[in-house]
Amino acid sequence: MVVGAFPMAKLLYLGIRQVSKPLANRIKEAARRSEFFKTYICLPPAQLYHWAEMRTKMSIMGFHAESIKPLNEEAAAELGANLLGEAIIFGCAGSCLLLEFWRQQSLRRRKEGERVASLLSLRDDLDRLEHVVGELQVQVQAAVQRSELDQLKAELRAELEEFKGQICTERQEPEPEPEPEPEPQPPKASL
């Protein structure tokens, strides 16, 4: 059954409706021949339909119908068979509509379920990616801190080397000899 290319379900429903018409005609024929079917299945709905129809017509025309004569048995059997046939056709068409409605609802529910599953999958992927990004940020921060420490260490080494270089240069330069202090002269005698 290729549903996308050719709607087989709709064709099936149309076939059921077309088959229901001959089926209704067969039931009408059986109703005319069978006394039980005629008496208990066809006559009561036909008499009720006749009574409701006549009462409605009389009230529309403005008459007050107190008693409505029932249909004779032959006319009531014919009317009952027609009502039964129409009810069968209507029932088949209604059931086809209900089946189509049910099929559309199940299709909609399935698509909705697929959409929800897709959204949940995307949400899970997003959560996983957020977790991975968080871990990477922690690693980057640690790397930046290590890089800053390495840079600071390199600067300290450079300063240490420079300091060592200065110390070594000072040791190699001869220290100037201190000038001798002038000897104190004896005080001159006064006259």
Side-chain angles (χ1 to χ4, degrees):
M1 237 166 110
V2 180
V3 177
F6 191 70
M8 294 298 285
K10 291 181 181 178
L11 184 64
L12 180 68
Y13 299 150
L14 181 64
I16 289 172
R17 285 179 53 203
Q18 291 300 320
V19 167
S20 68
K21 288 178 185 178
L23 179 66
N25 289 336
R26 286 185 153 232
I27 289 174
K28 283 183 198 177
E29 288 300 318
R32 289 187 190 115
R33 282 185 257 136
S34 168
E35 262 322 298
F36 174 80
F37 203 71
K38 186 188 318 182
T39 306
Y40 295 107
I41 306 280
C42 292
L43 290 180
Q47 294 294 354
L48 179 66
Y49 177 80
H50 173 70
W51 178 81
E53 181 186 32
M54 291 307 292
R55 191 135 178 106
T56 306
K57 283 181 181 178
M58 296 293 256
S59 66
I60 287 174
M61 288 193 270
F63 297 118
H64 295 291
E66 284 160 31
S67 68
I68 297 173
K69 291 185 181 180
L71 286 174
N72 65 14
E73 194 172 309
E74 193 60 38
E78 183 69 30
L79 180 61
N82 284 337
L83 285 174
L84 185 61
E86 292 299 319
I88 289 171
I89 292 171
F90 181 74
C92 288
S95 63
C96 288
L97 284 174
L98 287 175
L99 286 173
E100 180 64 21
F101 176 75
W102 176 77
R103 189 179 70 85
Q104 291 294 329
Q105 288 295 97
S106 65
L107 181 67
R108 186 184 59 79
R109 277 193 298 268
R110 189 179 76 231
K111 284 183 180 179
E112 183 70 20
E114 290 172 356
R115 188 181 68 81
V116 166
S118 173
L119 285 175
L120 289 175
S121 172
L122 289 173
R123 173 51 82 188
D124 291 342
D125 290 345
L126 182 63
D127 291 342
R128 186 179 49 81
L129 288 174
E130 285 176 347
H131 180 70
V132 167
V133 165
E135 287 178 354
L136 287 174
Q137 285 178 340
V138 168
Q139 290 175 359
V140 165
Q141 286 294 336
V144 165
Q145 288 175 352
R146 272 188 255 131
S147 143
E148 288 174 354
L149 287 175
D150 290 343
Q151 185 180 9
L152 186 60
K153 195 188 290 185
E155 288 175 6
L156 287 175
R157 280 188 183 150
E159 287 179 14
L160 184 62
E161 290 297 321
E162 184 180 321
F163 185 68
K164 279 183 185 177
Q166 286 177 357
I167 290 177
C168 287
T169 348
E170 286 178 4
R171 282 187 187 170
Q172 289 174 357
E173 288 180 8
E175 288 186 20
E177 290 183 23
E179 290 182 20
E181 287 185 22
E183 289 186 24
Q185 290 180 359
K188 289 187 182 180
S190 52
L191 278 185

